[in-house]
Amino acid sequence: DGNAPGSGSDKAQVMTTFTILEDMTKEVAGDSVEVRSLTSPGAEIHGYEPTPHDVAAAERADLIISNGLGLEHWGHKLTDNSPAATMVATDGITPLPIAGTDNPNPHAWMSPALALTYVDNITKALSDLEPEHADTYRHNASEYKKKINKVNTDLLDGLATLPEPPHTRHLRGRLQLPRQRGWLEGRVHLAGQQRWGYHGSADRPGR
């Protein structure tokens, strides 16, 4: 088992299903709540099986944050007997499919653009849990999103320096098309589908 809540702290107890969600939640929460990941760094999330200790910790949690999109098929074992509020961090995200299947790719946090939705969902869940700290959560979220947007911009700027394939240049010339972001977006989408998953779904930050 991992580092699930239940420390005896007077602070609200937030359980996340894995460490990336723990890190994101801590960025938004600051010191206002106790945030612990159910699983340890490097744990295999897809095949994880909650222990009796994990289930007991979930019963003591005030909020349980999961990824969704089929990542935690075992999640119901935590929530069935827990009075905790629950939140799915990918709510509102249209997932990419896993290559060759109709199943959603659950690793949406790998896209900086989609990570902003995670932050928004976490901020709302924490604000609903502790309205008295909502202003702090919104401020922390705003600062965190600036960092994520910087990562997103750097990623797109780096991709923009990649050479354009000769056959694309030839086609663009014949059609009198400028070398605009449409080419880059198409290239990123193709790379995302074939190799990088959500690393290829970057977009210019507008949030």
Side-chain angles (χ1 to χ4, degrees), residues 3 19 37 39-43:
N3 305 302
T19 55
S37 171
T39 55
S40 300

Side-chain angles (χ1 to χ4, degrees), residues 47-60:
Y48 189 78
E49 284 296 332
T51 67
H53 176 80
D54 295 335
V55 174
E59 293 175 357
R60 295 190 295 271

Side-chain angles (χ1 to χ4, degrees), residues 15-204:
M15 171 189 283
T16 68
T17 53
F18 62 106
T19 55
I20 291 173
L21 292 180
E22 177 188 28
D23 292 342
M24 298 180 85
T25 303
K26 284 181 175 179
E27 288 281 351
V28 177
D31 296 327
S32 297
V33 301
E34 194 79 29
V35 184
R36 303 281 183 88
S37 171
L38 174 72
T39 55
S40 300
E44 172 49 55
I45 308 304
H46 295 271
Y48 189 78
E49 284 296 332
T51 67
H53 176 80
D54 295 335
V55 174
E59 293 175 357
R60 295 190 295 271
D62 298 296
L63 172 65
I64 298 174
I65 298 177
S66 62
N67 184 79
L69 299 180
L71 182 65
E72 309 100 336
H73 66 87
W74 39 265
H76 67 93
K77 296 180 182 180
L78 301 176
T79 58
D80 282 351
N81 296 310
S82 174
T86 59
M87 189 276 283
V88 178
T90 55
D91 278 352
I93 288 175
T94 301
L96 294 175
I98 295 174
T101 76
D102 293 327
N103 299 323
N105 183 332
H107 305 105
W109 69 85
M110 291 184 175
S111 162
L114 296 181
L116 298 176
T117 299
Y118 278 68
V119 176
D120 287 341
N121 288 335
I122 290 168
T123 303
K124 182 179 186 306
L126 290 174
S127 298
D128 289 345
L129 180 67
E130 295 203 315
E132 66 273 21
H133 297 303
D135 288 344
T136 297
Y137 299 146
R138 284 191 289 266
H139 172 76
N140 293 347
S142 177
E143 294 302 308
Y144 187 33
K145 288 167 77 171
K146 290 177 184 177
K147 298 177 186 178
I148 295 173
N149 280 331
K150 177 65 164 56
V151 171
N152 198 17
T153 299
D154 290 347
L155 173 62
L156 282 166
D157 288 345
L159 287 170
T161 66
L162 296 176
E164 185 176 5
H167 71 275
T168 307
R169 288 199 302 270
H170 175 69
L171 178 61
R172 178 168 54 83
R174 291 189 63 182
L175 297 178
Q176 301 297 308
L177 297 175
R179 190 180 191 277
Q180 294 178 330
R181 282 197 65 231
W183 167 80
L184 176 59
E185 288 169 343
R187 183 184 178 99
V188 170
H189 179 72
L190 180 61
Q193 291 292 333
Q194 294 181 345
R195 296 181 61 190
W196 296 344
Y198 287 102
H199 285 302
S201 63
D203 198 3
R204 287 291 177 189

